[in-house]
Amino acid sequence: MNFGKPVPILRMFDETKAREFYVDFLGFGIDWEHRFEPDLPLYLQVSKGDCLLHLSEHHGDCSPGAAMRIPVDDLDAFHRELLAKRYPYARPGIEPMPWGRDLSVSDPFGNRLTFTGD
């Protein structure tokens, strides 16, 4: 028996803000999008490297306020990339922790993503 990597589902409330944060700021790509009908909630997958996230406007899929840790092999380069974008709602720093170093950002919907590395 083999288990695969989990794919977190994060709640979102505004498609434009989600794209601005995940695609424009963090640099994730959109792999696919799904709506049952044009005026119904959006469900989509974004990815960057091996990291996959699902974002959902469906109220029953999950609750806002999730937290996750995402390993990054070059945290310093990712930090420089984020700061260069001058995103108006986040200018994250790197914090030393007992297990390595963390860079945390919150999305516009209250979910916290902590990118972690050496």
Side-chain angles (χ1 to χ4, degrees):
M1 181 180 326
N2 186 28
F3 291 83
K5 295 178 184 177
V7 178
I9 303 171
L10 301 174
R11 186 75 157 92
M12 66 170 171
F13 301 101
D14 182 306
E15 181 180 341
T16 302
K17 287 284 186 195
R19 290 177 193 276
E20 180 182 77
F21 180 79
Y22 285 97
V23 177
D24 299 340
F25 178 51
L26 295 182
F28 280 71
I30 296 174
D31 299 326
W32 50 261
E33 303 179 21
H34 175 265
R35 293 180 195 270
F36 286 103
E37 293 182 21
D39 60 341
L40 290 179
L42 175 65
Y43 190 93
L44 66 112
Q45 177 176 293
V46 296
S47 66
K48 184 169 183 149
D50 291 332
C51 180
L52 298 177
L53 303 174
H54 285 189
L55 307 177
S56 179
E57 289 183 316
H58 295 269
H59 72 276
D61 283 346
C62 51
S63 297
M68 68 189 60
R69 302 181 63 72
I70 302 168
V72 177
D73 65 355
D74 191 342
L75 192 62
D76 292 311
F78 185 55
H79 182 236
R80 287 189 300 273
E81 178 184 312
L82 294 182
L83 293 180
K85 293 182 180 178
R86 304 199 53 81
Y87 182 65
Y89 306 107
R91 302 281 167 83
I94 296 176
E95 291 185 59
M97 304 302 275
W99 51 83
R101 299 181 311 140
D102 285 353
L103 181 157
S104 294
V105 293
S106 292
D107 75 7
F109 320 108
N111 301 301
R112 188 175 69 247
L113 291 81
T114 298
F115 299 92
T116 187
D118 295 330

